[in-house]
Amino acid sequence: MFSRKTVILGSIIACIILTVSLLSFSRSRYGSFGPGRVAIIFIAPLQKTIATSSKFIKNIWNHYFSLVSTAKENDRLKKALGYADAEKNQWREMEFANYRLRKLLQFVKTTSNQVIAAEVTGRDPSSWFKAVIIDKGKSDGLKKGMPVIIPEGIAGHIAEVTSDYAKVLLIFDQNSAIDAIVQRTRARGIVKGETTGRCVLKYVLQKHDIRVGDVVVSSGLDGVFPKGLPIGYVSNVVKRTSGLFQEIKVTPYVDFDKLEEVLVILNPPEHDFISGQ
Amino acid sequence: MTFFYHIFVGSCLFIFQSVILPYFTFSDSFYDLLVPFIIYLGSYHSVREGIPVAIFLGFIVDSFSGSYFGVYITTYTWLAISMRWISALIDMQNFGFLTLIVVIGVVIENILLFLAIMIANPEFQFSVFILGVIASQIFWAICTGPFFLIFFNKIFGFLKTEPA
């Protein structure tokens, strides 16, 4: 009845009219179209689920790569921080060493003795004996019996010596003994080491007036330590009614826990004990 | 080879004890780290293997310590011998006995050291300070000693089974 051409043309016109009509209709009823809400009710949750999932996956994906780079950056920063910390620590150590060495140098300038500086490299493994190893030996002119000091006072004396190292017996070792005098009263005695980490001043007669805080110095009579080197201060005095001597505790000036550098006196007072080595 | 391995481990322990350990505040009241090693040598090895190492380590410690020379050689030798004897009486697989044997070792070492000190210095007197240090050493021995024994034994067992 109609040609094929006429049918196509009519269909196109009908579609245009339908489209225009629908657009006009929907424009006038925006927001209250029932079937649209039903679609939203059913489709939107799915949309949301998919959107959330895709966002989640996208986030994971992005964060994964981000985390990888963050982890790398974190590693790099940690490494840099580690280096900075190590450097800072090194500077601080150098600062402390500088301070100690300046102090030693100042002391060397003020002392008339010929001295050599040495570093403590090891300590006595025992709790009951007190000795340290220093990094100077025979090749540096050290001999058995030489006094070892620091600016604060007497540290000990050389007990053993090898070509490059020496063992220093500290004054608070029980085998150590120094002929000493109390600076204020000139009372003489022997400073001996004790296992407690302190020393005792022995053989001081009861008649002498010794007080807590009195300074104890070397007498120089033992032929090992030069006269007048500080040893420690009196920390306790016990005068018993019986007996000839007082019981006097002496706390050394030297903090042996912090002993790192020492000075060895190379020209101590001449004595048979030293010249005999 | 075993002798050199033991000498190496003992020397490492000695270096740790004399260089690293003093940095810690408790080092003065810590027991001799070579004691568990000597106990291990005495308990798990033959006299022929253990005694020479004990003498050698005693020689090293005597050389570095302020003690009279020979004190540690004697102490370690007697410690190794006594541990050989004690280990035959107890179950060395039991953790409690391991703790006990380390404590006994620390006590024996201190008794021998103080005997040596008293022989050389008759005026020597025990004080609360000394007892406190020994108590502290025993405390540390209880806390750490058995682990050292187990560690030494495991390491040696592992090295022995490793193909050359």
Side-chain angles (χ1 to χ4, degrees), chain A residues 26-102:
Chain A
S26 64
R27 185 175 158 240
S28 62
R29 309 213 14 143
Y30 182 80
S32 58
F33 186 57
R37 279 205 297 270
V38 174
I40 290 167
I41 289 166
F42 285 102
I43 302 299
L46 286 172
Q47 268 184 327
K48 193 185 172 187
T49 308
I50 291 165
T52 310
S53 303
S54 60
K55 202 175 174 182
F56 178 71
I57 291 164
K58 189 184 165 190
N59 276 344
I60 287 178
W61 189 255
N62 286 342
H63 275 89
Y64 171 74
F65 284 108
S66 171
L67 277 175
V68 169
S69 60
T70 307
K72 277 181 185 167
E73 194 180 3
N74 194 29
D75 285 345
R76 190 181 57 77
L77 289 172
K78 269 187 181 174
K79 211 173 171 181
L81 188 67
Y83 279 126
D85 272 348
E87 206 167 307
K88 187 182 163 194
N89 196 40
Q90 209 174 345
W91 281 114
R92 195 176 288 171
E93 275 298 309
M94 280 173 74
E95 196 182 330
F96 287 138
N98 191 20
Y99 171 75
R100 288 196 310 269
L101 293 171
R102 269 174 190 275

Coordinates of all heavy atoms in Angstrom, one line a residue, chain A residues 26-102:
Chain A
S26 N 8.2 15.2 30.0 CA 9.1 15.0 31.1 C 9.6 16.3 31.7 O 9.8 16.5 32.9 CB 10.3 14.2 30.7 OG 11.0 14.9 29.7
R27 N 9.7 17.3 30.9 CA 10.1 18.6 31.4 C 9.1 19.2 32.3 O 9.4 19.8 33.4 CB 10.3 19.5 30.2 CG 10.9 20.9 30.5 CD 11.2 21.7 29.2 NE 11.2 23.1 29.6 CZ 10.4 24.0 29.1 NH1 9.5 23.7 28.1 NH2 10.5 25.3 29.4
S28 N 7.8 19.0 31.9 CA 6.7 19.6 32.8 C 6.6 18.8 34.1 O 6.0 19.3 35.0 CB 5.4 19.6 32.0 OG 5.1 18.3 31.6
R29 N 7.0 17.5 34.1 CA 6.8 16.6 35.3 C 8.1 16.2 36.0 O 8.2 15.1 36.6 CB 6.0 15.4 34.9 CG 4.8 15.7 34.1 CD 3.6 14.9 34.2 NE 3.5 13.9 35.3 CZ 2.3 13.7 35.8 NH1 1.2 14.5 35.5 NH2 2.2 12.8 36.7
Y30 N 9.1 17.0 35.9 CA 10.4 16.7 36.5 C 10.4 16.4 38.0 O 9.8 17.1 38.7 CB 11.4 17.8 36.2 CG 12.8 17.6 36.6 CD1 13.7 16.8 35.9 CD2 13.3 18.1 37.8 CE1 14.9 16.5 36.3 CE2 14.6 17.8 38.3 CZ 15.4 17.1 37.5 OH 16.6 16.8 37.9
G31 N 10.9 15.3 38.3 CA 11.1 15.0 39.7 C 9.9 14.2 40.3 O 10.0 13.8 41.4
S32 N 8.9 14.0 39.6 CA 7.8 13.2 40.2 C 7.4 12.1 39.3 O 6.3 11.7 39.3 CB 6.7 14.2 40.5 OG 6.3 14.8 39.3
F33 N 8.4 11.6 38.5 CA 8.0 10.6 37.6 C 8.2 9.2 38.2 O 9.3 8.8 38.6 CB 8.9 10.7 36.3 CG 8.5 9.7 35.2 CD1 7.2 9.8 34.7 CD2 9.4 8.8 34.7 CE1 6.9 8.9 33.6 CE2 9.1 8.0 33.7 CZ 7.8 8.0 33.1
G34 N 7.2 8.5 38.5 CA 7.1 7.3 39.3 C 8.1 6.2 38.8 O 8.9 5.8 39.6
P35 N 8.0 5.8 37.6 CA 8.9 4.7 37.1 C 10.4 5.1 37.3 O 11.2 4.2 37.6 CB 8.5 4.5 35.7 CG 7.1 5.0 35.6 CD 7.0 6.2 36.5
G36 N 10.7 6.3 37.2 CA 12.1 6.8 37.3 C 12.6 6.6 38.7 O 13.7 6.1 39.0
R37 N 11.7 6.8 39.7 CA 12.1 6.6 41.1 C 12.3 5.1 41.4 O 13.2 4.7 42.1 CB 10.9 7.1 42.0 CG 11.0 8.6 42.2 CD 10.3 9.0 43.5 NE 8.9 8.6 43.5 CZ 7.9 9.4 43.1 NH1 8.2 10.6 42.6 NH2 6.6 9.1 43.1
V38 N 11.4 4.3 40.8 CA 11.6 2.8 41.0 C 12.9 2.4 40.4 O 13.7 1.6 41.1 CB 10.4 2.1 40.2 CG1 10.7 0.6 40.3 CG2 9.1 2.4 40.9
A39 N 13.3 3.0 39.3 CA 14.6 2.6 38.7 C 15.7 3.1 39.6 O 16.7 2.3 39.8 CB 14.7 3.3 37.3
I40 N 15.6 4.3 40.1 CA 16.6 4.8 41.0 C 16.7 3.9 42.3 O 17.8 3.5 42.7 CB 16.3 6.2 41.4 CG1 16.5 7.1 40.2 CG2 17.2 6.7 42.6 CD1 16.0 8.5 40.4
I41 N 15.5 3.5 42.8 CA 15.5 2.7 44.0 C 16.3 1.4 43.8 O 17.0 0.9 44.6 CB 14.0 2.4 44.4 CG1 13.4 3.7 45.0 CG2 13.9 1.3 45.5 CD1 11.9 3.6 45.1
F42 N 16.1 0.8 42.6 CA 16.7 -0.5 42.3 C 18.2 -0.4 41.8 O 19.0 -1.2 42.1 CB 15.9 -1.3 41.4 CG 14.7 -1.9 42.0 CD1 13.4 -1.3 41.8 CD2 14.8 -3.0 42.8 CE1 12.3 -1.9 42.4 CE2 13.7 -3.5 43.4 CZ 12.4 -3.0 43.2
I43 N 18.4 0.6 41.0 CA 19.7 0.7 40.3 C 20.7 1.5 41.2 O 21.9 1.1 41.2 CB 19.5 1.5 39.0 CG1 18.5 0.7 38.1 CG2 20.8 1.7 38.3 CD1 18.9 -0.7 37.7
A44 N 20.2 2.5 41.9 CA 21.2 3.3 42.7 C 22.0 2.5 43.7 O 23.3 2.7 43.7 CB 20.4 4.4 43.4
P45 N 21.4 1.6 44.4 CA 22.3 0.8 45.3 C 23.4 0.0 44.6 O 24.5 0.0 45.1 CB 21.3 -0.1 46.0 CG 20.0 0.5 45.9 CD 20.0 1.2 44.6
L46 N 23.0 -0.5 43.5 CA 24.0 -1.2 42.7 C 25.1 -0.3 42.2 O 26.3 -0.6 42.3 CB 23.3 -1.9 41.5 CG 22.5 -3.1 41.8 CD1 21.7 -3.6 40.5 CD2 23.3 -4.3 42.3
Q47 N 24.6 0.9 41.8 CA 25.5 1.9 41.3 C 26.5 2.2 42.4 O 27.7 2.3 42.2 CB 24.8 3.1 40.9 CG 24.4 3.2 39.4 CD 23.8 4.5 39.1 OE1 23.1 5.1 40.0 NE2 23.9 5.0 37.9
K48 N 25.9 2.4 43.6 CA 26.7 2.9 44.7 C 27.7 1.8 45.1 O 28.9 2.1 45.3 CB 25.8 3.1 45.9 CG 26.5 3.9 47.0 CD 25.6 4.0 48.3 CE 26.5 4.5 49.4 NZ 25.7 4.5 50.6
T49 N 27.2 0.5 45.1 CA 28.1 -0.6 45.4 C 29.3 -0.6 44.4 O 30.4 -0.8 44.8 CB 27.3 -1.9 45.4 OG1 26.1 -1.8 46.2 CG2 28.1 -3.1 45.9
I50 N 28.9 -0.6 43.2 CA 30.0 -0.6 42.2 C 30.9 0.6 42.3 O 32.1 0.4 42.2 CB 29.3 -0.8 40.8 CG1 28.7 -2.2 40.7 CG2 30.4 -0.6 39.7 CD1 27.7 -2.3 39.5
A51 N 30.3 1.7 42.5 CA 31.1 2.9 42.6 C 32.0 2.9 43.8 O 33.2 3.2 43.7 CB 30.2 4.2 42.7
T52 N 31.5 2.4 44.9 CA 32.3 2.3 46.1 C 33.4 1.3 45.9 O 34.6 1.5 46.3 CB 31.4 1.9 47.3 OG1 30.3 2.7 47.4 CG2 32.2 2.0 48.6
S53 N 33.0 0.1 45.3 CA 34.0 -0.9 45.1 C 35.1 -0.4 44.2 O 36.3 -0.7 44.4 CB 33.3 -2.2 44.4 OG 32.3 -2.6 45.3
S54 N 34.6 0.2 43.1 CA 35.6 0.7 42.1 C 36.5 1.7 42.8 O 37.7 1.8 42.5 CB 35.0 1.2 40.8 OG 34.2 2.3 41.2
K55 N 35.9 2.6 43.6 CA 36.7 3.6 44.3 C 37.7 2.9 45.3 O 38.8 3.3 45.4 CB 35.7 4.5 45.1 CG 36.3 5.9 45.4 CD 35.2 6.7 46.1 CE 35.8 8.0 46.6 NZ 34.7 8.8 47.2
F56 N 37.1 1.9 45.9 CA 38.0 1.2 46.9 C 39.2 0.5 46.2 O 40.3 0.7 46.6 CB 37.1 0.1 47.6 CG 37.8 -0.8 48.5 CD1 38.3 -0.3 49.8 CD2 38.1 -2.1 48.2 CE1 39.0 -1.1 50.6 CE2 38.8 -2.9 49.1 CZ 39.2 -2.4 50.3
I57 N 38.8 -0.1 45.0 CA 39.9 -0.8 44.3 C 40.9 0.3 43.7 O 42.1 0.1 43.8 CB 39.3 -1.6 43.1 CG1 38.6 -2.8 43.7 CG2 40.4 -2.1 42.1 CD1 37.6 -3.5 42.8
K58 N 40.3 1.4 43.3 CA 41.1 2.5 42.8 C 42.0 3.0 43.9 O 43.2 3.3 43.7 CB 40.2 3.6 42.3 CG 40.9 4.7 41.5 CD 40.0 5.8 41.2 CE 40.7 7.1 40.7 NZ 39.8 8.2 40.6
N59 N 41.4 3.2 45.1 CA 42.2 3.6 46.2 C 43.3 2.7 46.6 O 44.5 3.1 46.8 CB 41.3 3.8 47.4 CG 40.6 5.2 47.4 OD1 41.0 6.1 46.7 ND2 39.6 5.3 48.2
I60 N 42.9 1.4 46.6 CA 44.0 0.4 46.9 C 45.1 0.4 45.9 O 46.3 0.4 46.2 CB 43.3 -1.0 47.0 CG1 42.5 -1.2 48.2 CG2 44.4 -2.1 46.9 CD1 41.8 -2.5 48.4
W61 N 44.7 0.5 44.7 CA 45.6 0.5 43.5 C 46.6 1.7 43.7 O 47.8 1.6 43.6 CB 44.8 0.6 42.2 CG 45.7 0.4 41.0 CD1 46.1 1.3 40.1 CD2 46.3 -0.8 40.5 NE1 46.9 0.8 39.2 CE2 47.0 -0.5 39.4 CE3 46.2 -2.2 41.0 CZ2 47.7 -1.5 38.7 CZ3 46.9 -3.1 40.3 CH2 47.7 -2.8 39.1
N62 N 45.9 2.9 43.9 CA 46.7 4.1 44.0 C 47.6 4.1 45.2 O 48.8 4.4 45.2 CB 45.8 5.3 44.1 CG 45.2 5.7 42.7 OD1 45.7 5.2 41.7 ND2 44.1 6.4 42.7
H63 N 47.0 3.6 46.3 CA 47.7 3.6 47.6 C 48.9 2.5 47.6 O 49.9 2.7 48.2 CB 46.8 3.3 48.8 CG 46.2 4.5 49.3 ND1 45.0 5.0 48.8 CD2 46.6 5.4 50.2 CE1 44.7 6.1 49.4 NE2 45.6 6.4 50.3
Y64 N 48.6 1.5 46.8 CA 49.6 0.4 46.8 C 50.9 1.1 46.2 O 52.0 1.0 46.7 CB 49.2 -0.8 45.9 CG 50.3 -1.7 45.6 CD1 50.8 -2.6 46.6 CD2 50.9 -1.8 44.4 CE1 51.8 -3.4 46.4 CE2 51.9 -2.7 44.1 CZ 52.4 -3.5 45.1 OH 53.4 -4.3 44.9
F65 N 50.6 1.7 45.0 CA 51.8 2.3 44.3 C 52.3 3.5 45.2 O 53.6 3.6 45.3 CB 51.4 2.8 42.9 CG 51.4 1.7 42.0 CD1 50.1 1.3 41.5 CD2 52.5 1.0 41.6 CE1 50.1 0.2 40.6 CE2 52.4 -0.1 40.7 CZ 51.2 -0.5 40.2
S66 N 51.4 4.2 45.8 CA 51.8 5.3 46.7 C 52.6 4.8 47.8 O 53.6 5.3 48.2 CB 50.5 6.0 47.1 OG 50.8 6.9 48.1
L67 N 52.1 3.6 48.4 CA 52.8 3.0 49.6 C 54.2 2.5 49.2 O 55.1 2.7 50.0 CB 52.0 1.9 50.2 CG 50.9 2.3 51.1 CD1 50.1 1.1 51.5 CD2 51.4 3.0 52.4
V68 N 54.2 2.0 48.0 CA 55.6 1.5 47.6 C 56.5 2.7 47.6 O 57.6 2.6 48.1 CB 55.5 0.8 46.2 CG1 56.9 0.5 45.7 CG2 54.7 -0.5 46.4
S69 N 56.1 3.7 47.0 CA 57.0 4.9 46.9 C 57.2 5.5 48.2 O 58.3 6.0 48.6 CB 56.4 5.9 45.9 OG 55.2 6.4 46.3
T70 N 56.1 5.5 49.1 CA 56.2 6.1 50.4 C 57.2 5.2 51.2 O 58.0 5.8 52.0 CB 54.9 6.1 51.1 OG1 53.9 6.7 50.3 CG2 54.9 6.8 52.5
A71 N 57.1 3.9 51.1 CA 58.0 3.0 51.8 C 59.4 3.3 51.4 O 60.3 3.3 52.3 CB 57.6 1.6 51.6
K72 N 59.6 3.5 50.1 CA 60.9 3.7 49.6 C 61.4 5.0 50.2 O 62.6 5.1 50.6 CB 60.9 3.8 48.1 CG 61.0 2.4 47.4 CD 61.0 2.6 45.9 CE 61.0 1.2 45.3 NZ 60.7 1.3 43.8
E73 N 60.5 6.0 50.2 CA 60.9 7.3 50.7 C 61.2 7.3 52.2 O 62.2 7.8 52.7 CB 59.8 8.3 50.4 CG 60.2 9.8 50.6 CD 59.1 10.8 50.3 OE1 58.0 10.3 50.1 OE2 59.4 11.9 50.4
N74 N 60.3 6.5 52.9 CA 60.5 6.3 54.3 C 61.9 5.6 54.6 O 62.6 6.1 55.5 CB 59.4 5.3 54.8 CG 59.3 5.4 56.3 OD1 59.7 6.3 56.9 ND2 58.9 4.2 56.9
D75 N 62.2 4.6 53.8 CA 63.5 4.0 54.0 C 64.7 4.9 53.8 O 65.6 5.0 54.5 CB 63.7 2.8 52.9 CG 62.9 1.6 53.4 OD1 62.4 1.6 54.5 OD2 62.6 0.7 52.5
R76 N 64.5 5.7 52.7 CA 65.5 6.7 52.4 C 65.7 7.7 53.5 O 66.8 8.0 53.9 CB 65.2 7.5 51.1 CG 66.3 8.3 50.5 CD 65.8 9.0 49.2 NE 64.6 9.8 49.4 CZ 64.6 11.0 50.0 NH1 65.7 11.6 50.4 NH2 63.5 11.7 50.1
L77 N 64.5 8.2 54.0 CA 64.6 9.2 55.1 C 65.1 8.6 56.4 O 65.9 9.3 57.1 CB 63.2 9.8 55.4 CG 62.6 10.7 54.2 CD1 61.2 11.0 54.5 CD2 63.4 11.9 54.1
K78 N 64.8 7.3 56.6 CA 65.3 6.7 57.8 C 66.8 6.5 57.8 O 67.5 6.8 58.8 CB 64.6 5.3 58.0 CG 63.4 5.3 58.8 CD 62.9 3.9 59.0 CE 61.6 3.8 59.8 NZ 61.1 2.5 59.9
K79 N 67.2 6.2 56.6 CA 68.7 6.0 56.4 C 69.4 7.3 56.6 O 70.4 7.4 57.3 CB 68.9 5.5 54.9 CG 70.1 4.6 54.8 CD 70.1 4.1 53.4 CE 71.4 3.4 53.1 NZ 71.4 2.9 51.7
A80 N 68.8 8.4 56.0 CA 69.3 9.7 56.1 C 69.4 10.2 57.6 O 70.4 10.7 58.1 CB 68.5 10.7 55.3
L81 N 68.3 9.8 58.3 CA 68.2 10.2 59.7 C 69.2 9.4 60.5 O 69.8 10.0 61.4 CB 66.8 9.9 60.2 CG 66.4 10.4 61.6 CD1 66.4 11.9 61.7 CD2 65.1 9.8 62.1
G82 N 69.4 8.1 60.2 CA 70.4 7.3 60.8 C 71.8 7.9 60.7 O 72.5 8.0 61.6
Y83 N 72.1 8.3 59.4 CA 73.4 8.9 59.1 C 73.5 10.2 59.9 O 74.6 10.5 60.5 CB 73.5 9.2 57.6 CG 73.9 8.1 56.8 CD1 73.2 7.7 55.7 CD2 75.0 7.3 57.1 CE1 73.5 6.6 54.9 CE2 75.4 6.2 56.4 CZ 74.7 5.9 55.3 OH 75.0 4.8 54.5
A84 N 72.4 11.0 60.0 CA 72.5 12.3 60.7 C 72.7 12.0 62.2 O 73.5 12.7 62.8 CB 71.2 13.0 60.4
D85 N 72.0 11.0 62.7 CA 72.1 10.7 64.1 C 73.6 10.3 64.4 O 74.2 10.7 65.4 CB 71.2 9.6 64.5 CG 69.8 10.1 64.9 OD1 69.8 11.3 65.1 OD2 68.9 9.3 65.0
A86 N 74.1 9.4 63.5 CA 75.4 8.9 63.8 C 76.4 10.0 63.7 O 77.4 10.1 64.5 CB 75.8 7.8 62.7
E87 N 76.2 10.9 62.7 CA 77.1 12.0 62.6 C 77.0 13.0 63.8 O 78.1 13.4 64.3 CB 76.7 12.8 61.3 CG 77.9 13.6 60.7 CD 77.5 14.1 59.3 OE1 77.1 13.3 58.5 OE2 77.7 15.3 59.1
K88 N 75.8 13.2 64.3 CA 75.6 14.0 65.4 C 76.3 13.4 66.7 O 76.9 14.1 67.4 CB 74.1 14.1 65.7 CG 73.7 15.1 66.8 CD 72.2 15.1 66.9 CE 71.8 15.7 68.2 NZ 70.4 15.4 68.6
N89 N 76.1 12.1 66.8 CA 76.7 11.4 67.9 C 78.2 11.5 67.8 O 78.9 11.7 68.9 CB 76.3 9.9 67.9 CG 76.6 9.2 69.2 OD1 76.4 9.8 70.2 ND2 77.0 8.0 69.1
Q90 N 78.7 11.4 66.6 CA 80.2 11.5 66.4 C 80.7 12.8 66.8 O 81.7 13.0 67.4 CB 80.5 11.2 64.9 CG 81.8 10.6 64.7 CD 82.0 10.2 63.2 OE1 81.0 10.2 62.4 NE2 83.2 10.0 62.8
W91 N 79.9 13.9 66.4 CA 80.3 15.2 66.7 C 80.3 15.4 68.2 O 81.2 16.1 68.8 CB 79.3 16.2 66.1 CG 79.6 16.5 64.6 CD1 78.8 16.1 63.6 CD2 80.8 17.1 64.0 NE1 79.4 16.5 62.4 CE2 80.6 17.1 62.6 CE3 81.9 17.6 64.6 CZ2 81.6 17.6 61.8 CZ3 82.9 18.1 63.7 CH2 82.7 18.1 62.3
R92 N 79.3 14.9 68.8 CA 79.1 15.0 70.3 C 80.3 14.3 71.0 O 80.9 14.9 71.9 CB 77.8 14.4 70.8 CG 77.4 14.8 72.2 CD 76.1 14.3 72.6 NE 75.0 15.0 71.9 CZ 73.7 14.6 71.9 NH1 73.4 13.5 72.6 NH2 72.8 15.3 71.3
E93 N 80.6 13.1 70.5 CA 81.8 12.4 71.1 C 83.0 13.2 70.9 O 83.9 13.3 71.8 CB 81.9 11.0 70.4 CG 81.1 9.9 71.0 CD 81.4 9.6 72.4 OE1 82.6 9.4 72.7 OE2 80.5 9.7 73.3
M94 N 83.2 13.8 69.7 CA 84.4 14.6 69.4 C 84.5 15.8 70.3 O 85.5 16.2 70.8 CB 84.4 15.0 68.0 CG 84.9 13.9 67.1 SD 84.8 14.3 65.3 CE 86.1 15.5 65.2
E95 N 83.3 16.3 70.6 CA 83.2 17.5 71.5 C 83.6 17.1 72.9 O 84.4 17.9 73.5 CB 81.7 18.0 71.5 CG 81.6 19.4 72.0 CD 80.1 19.8 72.0 OE1 79.3 19.3 71.2 OE2 79.8 20.6 72.9
F96 N 83.1 16.0 73.4 CA 83.5 15.5 74.7 C 85.0 15.2 74.8 O 85.7 15.6 75.7 CB 82.7 14.3 75.1 CG 81.3 14.6 75.5 CD1 80.2 13.8 75.0 CD2 80.9 15.7 76.2 CE1 78.9 14.1 75.4 CE2 79.6 16.0 76.6 CZ 78.6 15.2 76.1
A97 N 85.5 14.5 73.7 CA 86.9 14.1 73.7 C 87.7 15.4 73.6 O 88.8 15.5 74.3 CB 87.1 13.2 72.4
N98 N 87.3 16.4 72.9 CA 88.0 17.6 72.7 C 88.1 18.3 74.1 O 89.2 18.8 74.5 CB 87.2 18.5 71.8 CG 88.0 19.7 71.4 OD1 89.2 19.8 71.5 ND2 87.3 20.7 70.9
Y99 N 87.0 18.3 74.8 CA 87.0 18.9 76.2 C 87.9 18.2 77.1 O 88.7 18.8 77.8 CB 85.5 18.8 76.7 CG 85.4 19.2 78.2 CD1 85.5 20.6 78.5 CD2 85.2 18.3 79.2 CE1 85.4 20.9 79.9 CE2 85.1 18.6 80.5 CZ 85.2 19.9 80.8 OH 85.1 20.3 82.2
R100 N 87.9 16.8 77.1 CA 88.8 16.1 78.0 C 90.2 16.3 77.6 O 91.1 16.5 78.5 CB 88.4 14.6 77.8 CG 87.1 14.2 78.5 CD 87.1 12.6 78.7 NE 87.4 11.9 77.5 CZ 86.6 11.5 76.5 NH1 85.3 11.8 76.7 NH2 87.0 10.9 75.5
L101 N 90.5 16.3 76.3 CA 91.9 16.4 75.9 C 92.4 17.8 76.2 O 93.6 18.0 76.5 CB 92.0 16.1 74.4 CG 91.8 14.6 74.0 CD1 91.7 14.4 72.5 CD2 92.8 13.7 74.6
R102 N 91.5 18.8 76.0 CA 91.9 20.2 76.4 C 92.3 20.3 77.9 O 93.3 20.9 78.2 CB 90.8 21.2 76.1 CG 90.8 21.8 74.7 CD 89.5 22.6 74.6 NE 89.3 23.0 73.2 CZ 89.9 24.1 72.7 NH1 90.6 24.9 73.5 NH2 89.7 24.4 71.4

